Amino acid sequence: MSGEIKTLLILPHIKVHNANALSSPFTIGFPAMTAWLGAMHALQRKLNQDGFTDLTFSATGVVSHQCDLQTHRGVGDYVSSIIGTGNPLDKTGSRSAFIEEARCHLDVTLLVELDGLNKADEVAVLERITHHLHGHMKMASGDIKGFHAPSIQRIEEGETSDLAMLTRQLMPGYALVERRDLMIAAMESGQDAMDALLDYLVVHQSCTQDDDGNVTWQAKRKTYQENPAGWIVPIATGFHGITALGEAKNQRDPETPHRFAESIVTLGEFKMPYRINSLNEIMWHYAIEPENNLYLCQQTHSLQKPTSADDWSDFY
């Protein structure tokens, strides 16, 4: 029995310069998932304006090939410092005040699940995508310096040969997957959210001394069910509304209700694509939980699964 056939847009090896590495108010590193899904939603809207009105992007996967965080640690330094940009001098010849911005240079491949694409429109859609990526479009607040030719591929769910053909194109690289299960297990055992997050990120250093006085140092991280948890990182996956919908002075869009929100941070894992067993393991989609005021990017099932970012319209 054949499975569902999914149409994928593959955007390989996009070089992003000076992407926003401050993914939340207290984490630095790989850009937030909201940035990647937001970029793909922006690309979808451009294609809709080009005349492909039935085309929607229902899910997005991110595979990192390289992430160069712009920080520096000098000899003897305990912490790293952010490498800032040189701003123009003010009228007195002094450096103007600025806010430090964490930046990173990236090489990523994006997978986009397409709905509503006609076979006859594939060539035209790829041409318009190439045009928009060569234009002034940004990703994660960074500039696109280059990319390989985009392509469209069809994957039959449950067909291992199709999945293997796809994962070979993504190697070497690391797909970002959600590991909210680690947070849930830790919090169910009595930890609060921050302790559960940090417990999987900290590196524990210990040493032993033998009878001859030789000291050996060991470093280890927390395991999950007596096995290594993987390459675990903190990731920002959405927002939590903390005020009611209303109006704000000088808001960008006077017709859209405004609300203040805070970032949602959980655990993620960078995972080699050859270790995935299903395409759904690496695809992210928008999800909202109106009763909890949550606007999320996630991989697990939710109460509501919007088909696009348009369902977030009451938020931004």
Side-chain angles (χ1 to χ4, degrees), residues 180-303:
R180 197 195 321 183
D181 58 304
L182 299 178
M183 294 280 292
I184 294 175
M187 293 174 69
E188 287 178 347
S189 65
Q191 288 185 305
D192 63 21
M194 186 59 72
D195 286 339
L197 183 78
L198 294 176
D199 209 15
Y200 279 99
L201 301 178
V202 297
V203 179
H204 299 277
Q205 304 282 352
S206 62
C207 67
T208 56
Q209 186 175 11
D210 59 22
D211 296 335
D212 298 328
N214 298 318
V215 176
T216 304
W217 283 89
Q218 299 89 23
K220 73 174 186 177
R221 299 177 68 175
K222 183 178 179 179
T223 59
Y224 180 63
Q225 297 179 350
E226 300 182 355
N227 293 313
W231 185 359
I232 304 300
V233 295
I235 56 173
T237 58
F239 302 96
H240 176 217
I242 57 177
T243 63
L245 292 174
E247 295 183 1
K249 184 178 180 180
N250 298 327
Q251 65 184 55
R252 292 182 179 179
D253 184 357
E255 299 180 358
T256 301
H258 176 275
R259 80 187 315 176
F260 289 97
E262 59 185 4
S263 294
I264 297 293
V265 178
T266 187
L267 292 174
E269 178 185 357
F270 282 113
K271 192 173 185 178
M272 281 282 193
Y274 75 86
R275 293 176 52 209
I276 68 172
N277 299 312
S278 170
L279 182 62
N280 290 330
E281 292 183 30
I282 62 175
M283 302 301 287
W284 295 75
H285 58 78
Y286 286 110
I288 57 175
E289 297 180 13
E291 70 281 2
N292 297 320
N293 296 323
L294 293 176
Y295 306 81
L296 302 174
C297 304
Q298 66 178 27
Q299 294 179 313
T300 53
H301 295 292
S302 60
L303 296 179

Side-chain angles (χ1 to χ4, degrees), residues 85-98:
T85 56
N87 295 322
L89 303 179
D90 60 21
K91 60 183 179 180
T92 65
S94 302
R95 288 287 180 188
S96 58
F98 69 97

Side-chain angles (χ1 to χ4, degrees), residues 57-272:
F57 294 178
S58 56
T60 301
V62 182
V63 178
S64 174
H65 304 288
Q66 183 178 2
C67 180
D68 183 12
L69 186 62
Q70 298 299 289
T71 58
H72 172 73
R73 180 181 295 182
V75 178
D77 290 349
Y78 182 70
V79 296
S80 299
S81 300
I82 295 174
I83 300 176
T85 56
N87 295 322
L89 303 179
D90 60 21
K91 60 183 179 180
T92 65
S94 302
R95 288 287 180 188
S96 58
F98 69 97
I99 299 175
E100 288 187 336
E101 297 179 351
R103 301 170 295 111
C104 60
H105 306 328
L106 300 167
D107 181 359
V108 298
T109 292
L110 300 181
L111 308 176
V112 183
E113 185 176 340
L114 303 179
D115 293 327
L117 176 63
N118 297 323
K119 181 72 174 178
D121 293 334
E122 288 187 5
V123 174
V125 167
L126 291 176
E127 290 178 350
R128 296 307 300 169
I129 289 173
T130 302
H131 169 78
H132 292 307
L133 294 182
H134 276 308
H136 299 289
M137 186 174 175
K138 288 180 174 286
M139 287 190 179
S141 298
D143 299 315
I144 299 175
K145 295 183 64 178
F147 54 91
H148 294 183
S151 62
I152 292 176
Q153 185 172 328
R154 285 173 173 78
I155 302 293
E156 183 177 352
E157 192 68 29
E159 184 62 43
T160 56
S161 60
D162 287 355
L163 185 62
M165 183 184 303
L166 175 65
T167 55
R168 282 196 296 268
Q169 301 176 54
L170 305 178
M171 296 291 294
Y174 295 89
L176 185 56
V177 301
E178 189 179 33
R179 291 304 306 272
R180 197 195 321 183
D181 58 304
L182 299 178
M183 294 280 292
I184 294 175
M187 293 174 69
E188 287 178 347
S189 65
Q191 288 185 305
D192 63 21
M194 186 59 72
D195 286 339
L197 183 78
L198 294 176
D199 209 15
Y200 279 99
L201 301 178
V202 297
V203 179
H204 299 277
Q205 304 282 352
S206 62
C207 67
T208 56
Q209 186 175 11
D210 59 22
D211 296 335
D212 298 328
N214 298 318
V215 176
T216 304
W217 283 89
Q218 299 89 23
K220 73 174 186 177
R221 299 177 68 175
K222 183 178 179 179
T223 59
Y224 180 63
Q225 297 179 350
E226 300 182 355
N227 293 313
W231 185 359
I232 304 300
V233 295
I235 56 173
T237 58
F239 302 96
H240 176 217
I242 57 177
T243 63
L245 292 174
E247 295 183 1
K249 184 178 180 180
N250 298 327
Q251 65 184 55
R252 292 182 179 179
D253 184 357
E255 299 180 358
T256 301
H258 176 275
R259 80 187 315 176
F260 289 97
E262 59 185 4
S263 294
I264 297 293
V265 178
T266 187
L267 292 174
E269 178 185 357
F270 282 113
K271 192 173 185 178
M272 281 282 193

